[in-house]
Amino acid sequence: QVQLVESGGGLVQPGGSLRLSCAASGSIFAINGMGWYRQAPGKERELVATITVVGTTKFDDSVKGRFIISRDHAKNTVYLQMNSLKPEDTAVYYCHAQIRPAHYSGYRDYWGQGTQVTVSS
């Protein structure tokens, strides 16, 4: 059974930094794209950043220049380095990955359980 497990959320002051991690585990044949989404109270889930299998990245305009996404293929892990955090970055952050499970012919979408990030003084 494939699952994504996130870590690294918490409370940080404005201007501070946090690093989120998301590790995929289970019977995995291959992983395609990985990324991070977030959902603030009363709002819809939105894309934060994605990274392809070859390392091409994409960011929402609101986080460009502040957030960095990276991945470690050997560890099946994706990271989100968040710098210069603002109160409007407060949300539950979800990891997403397109994974081909072992003994399965296609890719499926998987989501982590979410990790809370709160930016407040």
Side-chain angles (χ1 to χ4, degrees):
Q1 184 174 356
V2 175
Q3 62 177 350
L4 299 178
V5 178
E6 300 147 346
S7 61
L11 173 65
V12 63
Q13 292 186 342
S17 298
L18 280 176
R19 188 192 194 208
L20 305 182
S21 300
C22 171
S25 63
S27 299
I28 296 171
F29 181 84
I31 302 178
N32 196 1
M34 303 185 81
W36 292 91
Y37 292 71
R38 67 187 180 186
Q39 187 167 19
K43 295 187 177 181
E44 294 187 353
R45 190 174 299 188
E46 63 179 9
L47 181 147
V48 176
T50 60
I51 184 167
T52 69
V53 67
V54 296
T56 302
T57 59
K58 176 183 177 182
F59 296 91
D60 182 76
D61 286 345
S62 66
V63 306
K64 281 181 180 177
R66 300 188 297 122
F67 290 10
I68 301 169
I69 187 170
S70 60
R71 64 191 288 177
D72 184 328
H73 292 280
K75 296 181 179 180
N76 288 338
T77 298
V78 63
Y79 304 95
L80 186 68
Q81 177 66 42
M82 304 184 293
N83 302 317
S84 302
L85 282 161
K86 305 175 181 180
E88 50 263 43
D89 294 317
T90 296
V92 177
Y93 284 68
Y94 295 92
C95 172
H96 169 264
Q98 297 169 319
I99 298 174
R100 180 181 169 183
H103 312 298
Y104 192 77
S105 61
Y107 285 86
R108 302 177 65 182
D109 290 315
Y110 289 86
W111 293 89
Q113 78 283 1
T115 186
Q116 177 70 45
V117 172
T118 302
V119 184
S120 175
S121 55

